[in-house]
Amino acid sequence: MGTLGIVIAIDGPAAAGKGTVATRLAQELSLAKLDTGLLYRAVGFAVLQAGGDPDDAGHAYEAAKNLDPELLKNPALRLDDAAQAASKVAVIAEVRAQLLDFQRDFANNPPPLDDGTPAQGAILDGRDIGTTVCPDASAKLFITASGEVRAERRYKELLERGEKAIYARVLEDIKERDARDQGRSASPLAAPKDALVLDTSEMSADEVYAEALKFIRSRVSA
Ligand code: DC
């Protein structure tokens, strides 16, 4: 397959629904999917576990260099402590550089699908896929929604999972991460110029999926 496969880049702020649409697109188009946020979460989590400080470039770089791919399966990466630590280590340019090769290699040489069949390409979601990791992606999407709508969705998701949550706290966390993700100098969160931008504040998940698929089909002839 190699570089002949299609590459779909999906970027956007925290809790905008990137993962949901990426999973459905991956299934429909037989693409291997990489949630790149998990890489940053794993680095942040490893720093915390080692008793380090996620804002410390030395600690974060060591964790990125020694990242164990097995850690990507750890459910603790989904928790908010890991998310906050992720957005801190993501500010550090050396950490980003360290994770770049892994992401590009995945895009260019996607692993087989879960059923063992070869992937038709790759879909990566994150913050800087279309701008930095895969600037030549076949199609780029930027999925966003207002901070309040994202906090509301995240809040409901936490309650459904049986976790305790306070809406105001969830909103505060999202705003804090947005500010850090957009304000950093290394690959800040921004919509690529050639991306389809979808503000999903008033769209259902089905509508987002349909729009995304239509756009990708218009870009990719296969
Ligand atoms: O998508 P997520 O919430 O799992 O991402 C966690 C953090 O990782 C996010 O706040 C910023 C960082 N990140 C990044 O800087 N670049 C990416 N491509 C993906 C995530």
Side-chain angles (χ1 to χ4, degrees):
M1 169 63 45
T3 49
L4 294 176
I6 66 170
V7 176
I8 310 296
I10 305 196
D11 292 302
K18 302 184 297 289
T20 306
V21 70
T23 300
R24 286 180 71 175
L25 290 170
Q27 219 149 26
E28 174 68 22
L29 300 169
S30 300
L31 304 173
K33 181 175 86 85
L34 179 64
D35 169 0
T36 65
L38 271 187
L39 300 173
Y40 292 91
R41 284 170 183 257
V43 173
F45 182 75
V47 172
L48 294 178
Q49 269 205 321
D53 173 5
D55 283 316
D56 181 294
H59 291 173
Y61 176 68
E62 273 309 305
K65 207 171 61 175
N66 299 314
L67 189 63
D68 174 4
E70 278 299 302
L71 182 56
L72 300 177
K73 298 179 193 150
N74 190 327
L77 299 188
R78 302 273 165 212
L79 302 178
D80 286 336
D81 285 353
Q84 284 293 345
S87 106
K88 290 179 181 169
V89 300
V91 169
I92 301 161
E94 294 85 350
V95 168
R96 307 197 67 84
Q98 186 64 35
L99 298 178
L100 200 53
D101 282 352
F102 180 87
Q103 297 173 80
R104 286 197 175 143
D105 187 49
F106 187 97
N108 293 328
N109 303 293
L113 302 176
D114 286 344
D115 64 7
T117 57
Q120 298 300 308
I123 184 163
L124 286 79
D125 76 85
R127 304 289 189 286
D128 63 339
I129 308 305
T131 51
T132 306
V133 179
C134 302
D136 299 325
S138 327
K140 300 178 186 180
L141 293 152
F142 191 83
I143 311 272
T144 186
S146 72
E148 285 72 17
V149 166
R150 287 183 285 127
E152 183 73 31
R153 289 180 189 158
R154 178 92 183 114
Y155 173 67
K156 283 195 184 137
E157 193 184 291
L158 290 170
L159 294 188
E160 276 162 22
R161 269 201 252 147
E163 289 178 33
K164 290 205 187 86
I166 299 168
Y167 172 77
R169 184 71 220 284
V170 176
L171 179 60
E172 198 181 303
D173 272 4
I174 286 206
K175 286 187 170 165
E176 221 178 278
R177 277 217 282 157
D178 280 357
R180 222 183 278 122
D181 294 349
Q182 288 160 3
R184 67 182 180 225
S185 58
S187 291
L189 170 70
K193 276 201 284 301
D194 44 353
L196 172 71
V197 178
L198 289 176
D199 183 332
T200 71
S201 301
E202 290 178 16
M203 290 171 85
S204 69
D206 283 347
E207 286 168 337
V208 176
Y209 170 66
E211 286 287 321
L213 188 58
K214 194 169 77 182
F215 176 71
I216 292 170
R217 293 224 154 106
S218 76
R219 287 290 157 117
V220 178
S221 45

